[in-house]
Amino acid sequence: MCRTVRVRVRAWVRGLAARGDAGMVTSEYAVGVIAAVAFAAVLYKVVTSGQVSAELQDIVGRALNVPT
């Protein structure tokens, strides 16, 4: 009985190895792209909000008006 189970498990593992991961890479890229787009949208909303925009303009203004 034990030998039969081992033979079946080995055959199952070989079948998995032969099948490969076809399609997995594409779905991983799709999820990554969706996450990146969502992050970019949130970042855009934060940067274009009134308070953050004013702070960024103040920082850039101070950087450009540095006395030499």
Side-chain angles (χ1 to χ4, degrees):
M1 173 93 177
C2 186
R3 183 181 186 289
T4 304
V5 171
R6 257 188 271 138
V7 169
R8 287 184 181 176
V9 168
R10 285 182 185 160
W12 180 70
V13 169
R14 283 189 202 117
L16 288 178
R19 189 178 74 197
D21 287 334
M24 290 297 291
V25 173
T26 304
S27 63
E28 290 170 358
Y29 280 124
V31 170
V33 168
I34 291 169
V37 169
F39 180 73
V42 169
L43 186 62
Y44 177 78
K45 284 291 190 183
V46 168
V47 170
T48 58
S49 69
Q51 184 177 2
V52 174
S53 180
E55 290 293 327
L56 287 173
Q57 287 178 358
D58 182 50
I59 291 169
V60 171
R62 283 186 288 158
L64 292 176
N65 295 322
V66 174
T68 56

